Amino acid sequence: MQSIYAMHQKRSDELEKEEKFLIQSIDNIQDLYLIMLSSLIEIRKKEVIFLDASSKKHLATPEEKKPNTKFINNAVLQLLEENSSLSIALEKRKINNWLMNDDYILILLNEIKKSSLYQKYMSTKKTTFEEDKQFVVDMFTEVLAPNEKLYEYLEDHKLTWIDDIPLVNTQIQKQLKQITEKDDFRVVKLYKDEEDKEFVSLLFRKTVLNEVELAKEYIDKTPNWDADRIAEIDTIILKMAICEFLKFPSIPVKVTINEYLEIAKEYSTPKSSIFINGILDNLVKEFENENKIKKTGRGLM
């Protein structure tokens, strides 16, 4: 949707160029995911260095000589650092952002150590795997994910990540909650399968190349609206939804409607989802009467 909108704004007809940027932007989500995960590893490493340096100070205090190592011994943080799936992915994608930007890691570490969450966790030296896991989940959710400095860094690094950050953080939070002592953490794939990947290009191309025809399907269904008065985002959402109705037999009608209503709520005007829902509902009835919708598989209507 955003790529088609960008094409409209630039009045561009360079389909291949815009599609390449779209695919690359989606591919970059994997880097964002790995950068956020690696921040947990780097934060632990920084604390290891700090505790070691403090213990070697000339006038080190008793607390500095024998510090509470509960944080650096956290089972989940150690598991992530030693996890082969994550290590391979970081190396393959050449994720080393924090080597050149370790000041952000120090900022995050300081924020963690200032938090009541950390104080409560460190108040005892004994721990269990479940306590360690809950602490990491809470630390990520309450301290790292909402950190403004980290957000600014990610936004400056790649502008397209602005919309991807909540998605990535939710995925990581989900995985951290599911992690077990068996070291069953696995880096998630960006696409479910090859068909999932192809869908991106197909939906983009079929919508752009058929915009005039797709617009004809809804243009006379909006008697109270001049075409020029309909928000441009709404017209793109309608075209994409209609494209899925007519040209993607494996996608259930209800799934299409629900997905685009969510997009409308997120990116368009407050009343857009109601407007779009009304148009799509009427179109589905019309398409079904005219036998235009050909869905394959069970439960696809």
Side-chain angles (χ1 to χ4, degrees):
M1 181 272 290
Q2 290 175 315
S3 294
I4 295 171
Y5 181 77
M7 282 188 74
H8 286 193
Q9 294 300 301
K10 292 186 286 187
R11 291 180 171 80
S12 170
D13 59 358
E14 298 180 273
L15 185 65
E16 289 188 4
K17 179 183 176 182
E18 298 297 338
E19 182 184 1
K20 184 178 179 181
F21 180 78
L22 167 63
I23 298 300
Q24 190 167 7
S25 297
I26 294 173
D27 188 59
N28 286 334
I29 296 174
Q30 188 78 2
D31 289 347
L32 173 61
Y33 166 77
L34 292 170
I35 287 170
M36 289 300 293
L37 274 173
S38 65
S39 70
L40 291 167
I41 296 171
E42 297 304 318
I43 285 168
R44 179 190 171 275
K45 286 182 179 178
K46 280 294 180 191
E47 182 64 358
V48 170
I49 293 170
F50 172 76
L51 293 180
D52 183 60
S54 297
S55 68
K56 293 176 181 177
K57 287 196 307 186
H58 178 58
L59 297 175
T61 65
E63 290 78 13
E64 289 172 328
K65 288 179 179 179
K66 288 188 177 181
N68 183 348
T69 57
K70 187 174 181 178
F71 179 77
I72 62 173
N73 289 335
N74 181 284
V76 173
L77 294 179
Q78 291 189 90
L79 186 149
L80 290 173
E81 185 171 348
E82 297 164 5
N83 181 267
S84 58
S85 173
L86 183 51
S87 298
I88 291 168
L90 290 170
E91 185 175 348
K92 185 178 179 180
R93 302 285 298 195
K94 295 180 172 58
I95 303 299
N96 57 6
N97 297 58
W98 304 126
L99 290 178
M100 300 297 292
N101 299 280
D102 64 342
D103 50 325
Y104 286 96
I105 296 299
L106 289 171
I107 289 171
L108 293 173
L109 177 58
N110 288 332
E111 288 299 314
I112 290 166
K113 292 168 78 171
K114 286 193 302 183
S115 69
S116 58
L117 180 70
Y118 177 86
Q119 302 302 326
K120 182 179 178 182
Y121 176 71
M122 298 295 285
S123 63
T124 61
K125 292 191 176 183
K126 291 184 179 181
T127 190
T128 63
F129 185 86
E130 286 303 314
E131 185 191 355
D132 281 356
K133 178 169 72 172
Q134 190 59 53
F135 170 73
V136 173
V137 170
D138 292 341
M139 177 181 74
F140 183 83
T141 305
E142 298 175 23
V143 184
L144 269 63
N147 186 273
E148 290 185 9
K149 289 291 183 182
L150 178 59
Y151 185 91
E152 288 171 8
Y153 166 73
L154 295 172
E155 183 181 358
D156 289 343
H157 194 67
K158 276 193 174 61
L159 189 60
T160 56
W161 281 349
I162 294 174
D163 292 312
D164 302 328
I165 293 171
L167 170 72
V168 166
N169 286 343
T170 300
Q171 174 61 38
I172 292 174
Q173 183 191 54
K174 177 183 175 182
Q175 285 188 276
L176 290 174
K177 287 179 178 178
Q178 294 174 340
I179 205 166
T180 70
E181 293 179 77
K182 296 177 182 178
D183 189 16
D184 53 358
F185 184 88
R186 293 293 177 269
V187 170
V188 293
K189 294 179 180 179
L190 189 59
Y191 298 100
K192 182 176 65 176
D193 49 34
E194 198 58 34
E195 183 182 355
D196 194 29
K197 186 175 182 179
E198 289 174 0
F199 170 73
V200 176
S201 294
L202 286 173
L203 179 59
F204 179 71
R205 284 178 167 267
K206 286 184 178 183
T207 303
V208 172
L209 295 174
N210 296 282
E211 282 202 76
V212 175
E213 291 76 12
L214 293 169
K216 288 177 182 177
E217 299 289 356
Y218 69 79
I219 208 70
D220 62 346
K221 307 298 188 300
T222 56
N224 298 324
W225 293 82
D226 294 329
D228 294 339
R229 288 181 59 209
I230 303 174
E232 188 164 8
I233 290 290
D234 293 355
T235 66
I236 294 170
I237 289 172
L238 286 169
K239 289 170 189 173
M240 291 177 71
I242 295 167
C243 186
E244 283 192 17
F245 287 157
L246 303 178
K247 300 180 184 295
F248 289 85
S250 65
I251 302 177
V253 167
K254 288 181 181 178
V255 169
T256 294
I257 293 175
N258 289 339
E259 290 288 347
Y260 287 105
L261 289 181
E262 289 303 312
I263 292 173
K265 290 174 185 175
E266 182 72 22
Y267 293 100
S268 198
T269 65
K271 294 182 179 179
S272 288
S273 61
I274 299 172
F275 168 72
I276 290 169
N277 189 38
I279 298 297
L280 294 181
D281 277 345
N282 288 334
L283 282 175
V284 168
K285 292 172 186 174
E286 182 180 306
F287 290 161
E288 288 173 349
N289 290 334
E290 297 173 1
N291 205 28
K292 281 187 175 182
I293 295 182
K294 312 281 187 184
K295 296 296 182 180
T296 58
R298 294 176 59 188
L300 291 181
M301 293 303 291

